[in-house]
């Protein structure tokens, strides 16, 4: 049982907490300068770890990807003392070897969103490092946990996939599109040419805002189907939908197994520093005496320690 100060926020789709067996706990309804988060946040413990569950799309999946209140979500988790965020989300696959039902510990992002406010800091010049958008310490922690999974081998991009119960890819580039419509076939081929491995709609600005909030952030992507670059092999749209839902259920089951395995051992998180936890140390470029006092107070939760 962990006695550390680590608090883990889990951001996922509807029902993830229920499938994790974590939806019994204290329900918190925080308010933020950016409004209410997508859903009430459930605070519970598992294996002695403080867990905060948030449904990204809201109860009943009411927020489309462009309408998710990303700033409110991350700010609320920061208010609650969350130190690490473990996110998950369904994606399409842009590579033959990233099969539906696999898991991907994402390491890079290509951001194609354009409608979403992607910073907390609108009245100051704040520039965080974002070359590596996902926390390397958290990625190591998740990859270490794969050794506890049944018949698992973490695969590098150039390794041939092997039939096994759970396949976890050790890295992948996630192309984040605005949506809500899916890609055209020409766009899908372009994303592949760019080096994308996965296509989805929710990793940004979530990952960038977590960095600005000095919260370590990692994502487990769940491919549910091949994007439209690859012809579907089913006979009807209904059959395709049923196939995608089946793949999502399988990937979610695999995802939960990985999350539970990781939560049982926080040694890596406790022993290895996360660069995100000091992301603002060199990031505030504005002269602090020129930043409006009301803005400093509004964002006290995020940057207050740098104004003492």
């Amino acid at each position: 049982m962990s006695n550390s100060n680590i608090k883990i926020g889990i951001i996922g789709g509807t029902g993830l907490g229920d499938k994790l067996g974590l939806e019994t706990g204290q329900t918190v309804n925080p308010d933020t300068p950016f409004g209410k988060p997508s859903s009430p946040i459930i605070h519970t413990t598992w294996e002695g770890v403080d867990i905060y569950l948030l449904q990204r799309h809201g109860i009943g999946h009411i927020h489309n990807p462009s309408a998710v209140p990303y700033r409110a979500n991350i700010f609320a988790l920061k208010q609650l003392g969350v130190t690490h965020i473990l996110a998950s989300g369904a994606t399409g696959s842009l590579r033959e070897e990233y099969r539906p039902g696999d898991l991907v510990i994402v390491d890079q992002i290509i951001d194609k969103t354009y409608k979403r406010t992607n910073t907390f800091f609108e009245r100051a010049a704040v520039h965080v490092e974002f070359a590596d958008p996902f926390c390397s310490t958290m990625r190591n922690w998740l990859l270490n946990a794969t050794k506890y999974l049944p018949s698992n081998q973490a695969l590098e991009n150039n390794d041939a996939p092997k039939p096994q119960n759970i396949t976890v890819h050790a890295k992948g580039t996630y192309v984040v599109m605005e949506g809500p419509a899916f890609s055209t076939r020409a766009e899908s081929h372009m994303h592949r040419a760019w080096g994308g491995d996965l296509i989805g709609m929710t990793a940004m600005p979530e990952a960038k805002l977590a960095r600005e909030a000095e919260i370590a952030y990692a994502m487990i992507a769940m491919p549910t189907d091949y994007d439209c670059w690859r012809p579907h092999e089913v006979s009807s749209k209904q059959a395709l939908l049923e196939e995608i839902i089946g793949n999502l259920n399988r990937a979610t089951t695999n995802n939960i197994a990985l999350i539970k395995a990781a939560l049982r051992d926080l040694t890596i998180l406790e022993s290895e520093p996360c660069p995100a936890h000091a992301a603002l140390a060199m990031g505030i470029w504005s002269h602090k005496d020129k930043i409006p006092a009301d803005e400093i107070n509004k964002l006290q939760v995020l940057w207050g320690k740098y104004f003492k």
Side-chain angles (χ1 to χ4, degrees), residues 12-27 39-46 51 53-55 59:
T14 301
L16 177 65
D18 181 51
K19 292 177 181 178
L20 275 167
L22 300 177
E23 284 197 346
T24 56
Q26 178 188 6
T27 300
S39 74
I41 296 172
I42 297 173
H43 176 210
T44 187
T45 59
W46 197 83
I51 304 293
L53 292 164
L54 174 64
Q55 296 183 24
I59 296 172

Side-chain angles (χ1 to χ4, degrees), residues 97-105 146 149-155 159-170 220-221 223 250 254 258:
E97 63 268 26
Y98 286 71
R99 299 170 302 176
D102 289 355
L103 302 178
V104 185
I105 311 302
T146 63
L149 298 180
S151 303
N152 178 78
Q153 177 182 340
L155 300 179
D159 288 340
K162 300 178 177 65
Q164 50 196 321
N165 292 338
I166 302 177
T167 297
V168 181
H169 298 267
I220 304 171
R250 183 158 54 94
N254 293 344
L258 177 56

Side-chain angles (χ1 to χ4, degrees), residues 16-284:
L16 177 65
D18 181 51
K19 292 177 181 178
L20 275 167
L22 300 177
E23 284 197 346
T24 56
Q26 178 188 6
T27 300
V28 185
N29 290 284
D31 203 356
T32 81
F34 306 99
K36 291 282 189 182
S38 296
S39 74
I41 296 172
I42 297 173
H43 176 210
T44 187
T45 59
W46 197 83
E47 296 285 332
V49 183
D50 268 316
I51 304 293
Y52 295 82
L53 292 164
L54 174 64
Q55 296 183 24
R56 181 188 289 113
H57 295 284
I59 296 172
H61 207 100
I62 60 171
H63 300 299
N64 76 44
S66 299
V68 170
Y70 294 100
R71 291 196 294 180
N73 288 350
I74 300 300
F75 198 97
L77 292 173
K78 182 70 174 182
Q79 282 179 320
L80 294 169
V82 166
T83 56
H84 300 72
I85 290 174
L86 181 52
S88 64
T91 67
S93 172
L94 296 170
R95 303 290 167 194
E96 193 75 41
E97 63 268 26
Y98 286 71
R99 299 170 302 176
D102 289 355
L103 302 178
V104 185
I105 311 302
V106 187
D107 70 322
Q108 278 297 328
I109 284 178
I110 297 173
D111 185 10
K112 283 185 61 190
T113 62
Y114 55 89
K115 291 182 179 179
R116 313 170 190 189
T117 305
N118 65 359
T119 182
F120 290 111
F121 305 107
E122 296 181 301
R123 299 173 70 189
V126 177
H127 306 281
V128 295
E129 293 287 342
F130 205 57
D132 297 301
F134 300 97
C135 176
S136 57
T137 300
M138 290 191 72
R139 293 184 64 253
N140 289 339
W141 167 62
L142 291 169
L143 290 170
N144 180 69
T146 63
K147 66 188 180 186
Y148 302 114
L149 298 180
S151 303
N152 178 78
Q153 177 182 340
L155 300 179
E156 296 294 337
N157 279 357
N158 57 355
D159 288 340
K162 300 178 177 65
Q164 50 196 321
N165 292 338
I166 302 177
T167 297
V168 181
H169 298 267
K171 58 184 178 179
T173 294
Y174 185 136
V175 180
V176 192
M177 62 182 292
E178 187 64 57
F182 297 117
S183 302
T184 68
R185 189 168 290 107
E187 288 172 331
S188 191
H189 285 294
M190 178 183 70
H191 297 150
R192 281 167 49 81
W194 284 356
D197 300 308
L198 306 162
I199 179 77
M201 302 180 188
T202 56
M204 290 290 283
E206 193 172 271
K208 188 175 289 184
L209 293 169
R211 183 64 53 88
E212 287 192 344
E214 297 192 323
I215 302 174
Y217 180 96
M219 171 166 278
I220 304 171
M222 301 182 295
T224 60
D225 68 330
Y226 289 104
D227 200 44
C228 60
W229 64 273
R230 183 181 188 272
H232 294 293
E233 298 174 355
V234 294
S235 58
S236 68
K237 291 182 178 180
Q238 181 61 36
L240 175 60
L241 177 61
E242 291 173 0
E243 180 181 282
I244 291 172
I245 292 173
N247 291 333
L248 177 59
N249 289 336
R250 183 158 54 94
T252 299
T253 298
N254 293 344
N255 188 18
I256 288 168
L258 177 56
I259 292 173
K260 286 186 173 181
L263 291 176
R264 289 189 179 99
D265 184 0
L266 300 186
T267 304
I268 290 175
L269 297 188
E270 292 167 338
S271 61
E272 297 182 15
C274 294
H277 291 157
L280 296 180
M282 301 294 291
I284 303 171

